[in-house]
Amino acid sequence: MTGNVDVLLIGGGIMSATLGTFLQQLQPDWKIAVFERLGEVAQESSNAWNNAGTGHAALCELNYMPAAPDGSVDPTKAVAINEQFQQSRQFWSTLVERGVLAAPETFINRTPHMTFVRGEKDVAYLKRRYESLKQQPLFEGIEYSEDSRVINQWAPLLMQQRRKGEPFAATRVPSGTDVDFGSLTRQLLDSMQRGGAEVLTGREVRSLKRQKDGSWQVGYRHTVGRTPGRINARFVFIGAGGWAIKLLQRSRIPEAKGYGVFPIGGQWLKTSNPALVAQHKAKVYSQASVGAPPMSVPHLDTRVVDGETSLLFGPFATFSPKFLKNGSPWDIVTQVRPSNLGSMLTAGATNLNLVKYLVSELLKTHKKKVDSLREFMPSADGEDWELLNAGQRAQVMKGGKLQFGTEVVASADGSIAGLLGASPGASTAVSIMLGLLKSCFPDRIDEWEPQLRELIPSYGTTLSPDPAAAEASLAATAEELHLTV
């Protein structure tokens, strides 16, 4: 393919699919192309088995609401994450209504979100968290219990064979969800193709060169046969997971200087044993180990992938120098530049707890991993669980710090942008891409606002300050996405 397009999206994951869908809805006359290096789309972080798939809404993830040194808890970040997820729900609801997405059950299912903790300190913390969140409209329906009989009704596997006398507590939000981001990505890209976009697999981008007219000449090669090609684009988005840093560096935009990434992989324990699956319908999160990154918070999850229900426990951190599951072992080295070397060394030196944690995880045998599972599920039998490799995450390093979260890096003129980072990632892709639209298309965002309000009714506002609006939004999206009881 040699020619010109208005928009080139590099990477066939949920971020490119979300941005491409937005632009196709807003500017149906624009010519859009998607390049994916692998033979199929949604094979890296967007693949259902490579991510947590929680529909991150801060309903159960404790790292979004840590306790302060004085023991107090601040719900601000948790509420903000939930607000972002509501934008995703509204967007998906509109796309279902318009026929862009298929039956909601093909990508989202109602799954209660729970938090389970042990020990007096964590029980006291969870109670304070609950008291704070139950006042928030978007957390309507959150429940709390320290009663083993109640928790056993919520999630029997947590209570079977549990030692008596141990303090424990749980919260539960019945309206939580499980999202298959692989299915969602494929459906969005299929719809884009029906609308005229080109989705091309087996295309690996090798160079990005700014042209005199402000557009970008993108050099690529076919992964089969290695035939080279070129394409010109007025706007380029790099949604290539961990490889985004490499492509941003090749673009030579000054905004990418100073950034580095640190890869962290993961593994799950998985079971499809019908007897176990039938007893657990929930996503249950707990506290992270000391030094563990947020993406490694342990959880026992119900997962629905391609219509099949299974349970996952983990993730267990692994290490690989690759930035992608299908990346290069030289990735961690080839990203080094004079502008980011000092920052990366400082980040490494100030995160020794993380290094210690990674080493301890790498030394865990299958038996040790099952032992970790037994902290959640005392009755676990290792014979029921198999090890499954998850995806690679590239954590952002900037200014000598390791940053957890996602960050859009864009050129000053808005002609190119890339996404770095991980969690909460996919669940908040809609919010992230709305921010990108504002920063990269400032001359069009006002013109697009009426259409954006049709796609996302709460666009430009927040739901939390208005309980009636929050209740109406939750009810409407639950109805459209078939999430009601």
Side-chain angles (χ1 to χ4, degrees):
M1 178 182 184
T2 302
N4 299 301
V5 295
D6 295 295
V7 175
L8 176 63
L9 307 171
I10 302 173
I14 188 62
M15 294 298 173
S16 290
T18 300
L19 179 57
T21 300
F22 265 126
L23 291 174
Q24 197 170 64
Q25 295 286 317
L26 297 169
Q27 291 288 160
D29 58 318
W30 282 5
K31 188 174 182 181
I32 301 173
V34 182
F35 279 5
E36 167 55 47
R37 187 173 62 96
L38 301 179
E40 297 179 50
V41 299
Q43 293 303 298
E44 286 286 348
S45 295
S46 298
N47 182 279
W49 298 119
N50 288 344
N51 63 61
T54 56
H56 280 281
L59 300 176
C60 57
E61 304 93 337
L62 299 181
N63 53 295
Y64 296 138
M65 197 171 164
D70 64 359
S72 62
V73 290
D74 182 357
T76 303
K77 185 173 182 179
V79 171
I81 294 290
N82 198 299
E83 289 274 7
Q84 292 174 342
F85 186 64
Q86 298 313 316
Q87 290 186 324
S88 292
R89 280 180 50 143
Q90 290 179 34
F91 186 54
W92 300 337
S93 296
T94 302
L95 296 181
V96 168
E97 184 181 1
R98 294 184 178 184
V100 171
L101 293 173
E105 294 83 358
T106 61
F107 68 90
I108 189 169
N109 289 275
R110 183 184 176 109
T111 307
H113 282 204
M114 292 180 58
T115 304
F116 180 74
V117 299
R118 298 173 300 128
E120 292 182 1
K121 179 181 178 182
D122 284 343
V123 168
Y125 157 72
L126 191 64
K127 182 71 178 292
R128 291 194 300 273
R129 179 181 181 272
Y130 162 74
E131 293 292 343
S132 176
L133 289 179
K134 74 177 184 179
Q135 312 296 328
Q136 298 294 330
L138 292 177
F139 291 79
E140 179 70 28
I142 189 171
E143 304 167 275
Y144 174 88
S145 182
E146 298 175 22
D147 188 329
S148 62
R149 293 167 298 180
V150 173
I151 300 173
N152 184 66
Q153 290 178 342
W154 293 348
L157 296 185
L158 298 181
M159 291 291 105
Q160 293 171 7
Q161 299 182 22
R162 187 160 296 281
R163 190 176 66 226
K164 292 184 178 180
E166 178 186 33
F168 50 74
T171 57
R172 177 176 181 261
V173 181
S175 59
T177 55
D178 171 65
V179 184
D180 181 343
F181 285 106
S183 176
L184 180 60
T185 299
R186 290 189 293 272
Q187 290 187 41
L188 291 174
L189 291 173
D190 285 347
S191 176
M192 285 175 59
Q193 280 188 298
R194 293 193 299 271
E198 290 190 89
V199 179
L200 303 168
T201 56
R203 307 299 201 276
E204 181 179 327
V205 171
R206 306 290 293 173
S207 64
L208 296 122
K209 184 177 180 181
R210 196 194 299 265
Q211 304 299 289
K212 291 181 179 179
D213 64 358
S215 66
W216 290 87
Q217 183 185 89
V218 180
Y220 65 93
R221 71 181 179 193
H222 294 254
T223 54
V224 177
R226 296 182 176 266
T227 306
R230 292 194 308 274
I231 185 173
N232 274 50
R234 290 194 302 112
F235 172 75
V236 175
F237 172 68
I238 306 171
W243 270 25
I245 183 66
K246 299 171 68 169
L247 297 179
L248 282 168
Q249 288 175 338
R250 289 175 188 176
S251 75
R252 297 186 178 181
I253 60 171
E255 291 80 5
K257 289 184 177 180
Y259 282 96
V261 297
F262 183 78
I264 300 176
Q267 292 180 322
W268 304 104
L269 285 174
K270 175 193 174 188
T271 183
S272 297
N273 183 331
L276 296 177
V277 171
Q279 294 182 75
H280 188 82
K281 185 169 177 59
K283 290 183 175 291
V284 186
Y285 273 53
S286 191
Q287 290 281 31
S289 302
V290 175
M295 63 165 285
S296 295
V297 172
H299 42 101
L300 179 60
D301 285 5
T302 295
R303 297 301 306 273
V304 182
V305 180
D306 297 329
E308 180 186 356
T309 305
S310 58
L311 303 182
L312 292 184
F313 177 76
F316 299 97
T318 62
F319 177 76
S320 166
K322 298 179 180 181
F323 287 168
L324 294 172
K325 202 170 181 178
N326 296 281
S328 164
W330 295 103
D331 286 344
I332 197 169
V333 175
T334 55
Q335 69 164 325
V336 177
R337 300 286 188 279
S339 63
N340 65 13
L341 178 58
S343 175
M344 292 167 63
L345 291 174
T346 301
T350 55
N351 284 275
L352 295 179
N353 279 343
L354 174 59
V355 175
K356 181 180 178 181
Y357 167 77
L358 288 174
V359 171
S360 69
E361 288 285 280
L362 291 169
L363 294 176
K364 277 186 178 177
T365 61
H366 184 272
K367 181 180 181 301
K368 288 288 187 181
K369 289 172 182 174
V370 174
D371 287 343
S372 297
L373 168 60
R374 289 195 182 107
E375 294 181 15
F376 267 71
M377 178 187 167
S379 61
D381 182 345
E383 295 296 319
D384 291 322
W385 298 81
E386 62 177 319
L387 204 58
L388 179 72
N389 286 325
Q392 286 285 106
R393 299 291 185 270
Q395 304 293 156
V396 179
M397 290 185 285
K398 180 72 184 292
K401 296 181 180 179
L402 193 61
Q403 301 174 192
F404 298 102
T406 50
E407 187 166 347
V408 173
V409 179
S411 62
D413 65 357
S415 64
I416 188 170
L419 185 75
L420 301 176
S423 182
S427 299
T428 57
V430 171
S431 175
I432 293 168
M433 292 303 110
L434 285 174
L436 184 146
L437 289 174
K438 290 179 183 178
S439 61
C440 292
F441 301 96
D443 57 332
R444 291 184 178 268
I445 196 69
D446 289 341
E447 174 191 335
W448 288 341
E449 186 170 332
Q451 294 162 277
L452 288 170
R453 288 189 185 281
E454 290 179 9
L455 291 166
I456 303 168
S458 70
Y459 175 77
T461 66
T462 52
L463 296 169
S464 295
D466 187 342
E471 182 180 3
S473 177
L474 289 168
T477 56
E479 182 72 24
E480 190 64 56
L481 296 174
H482 302 175
L483 301 175
T484 54
V485 177

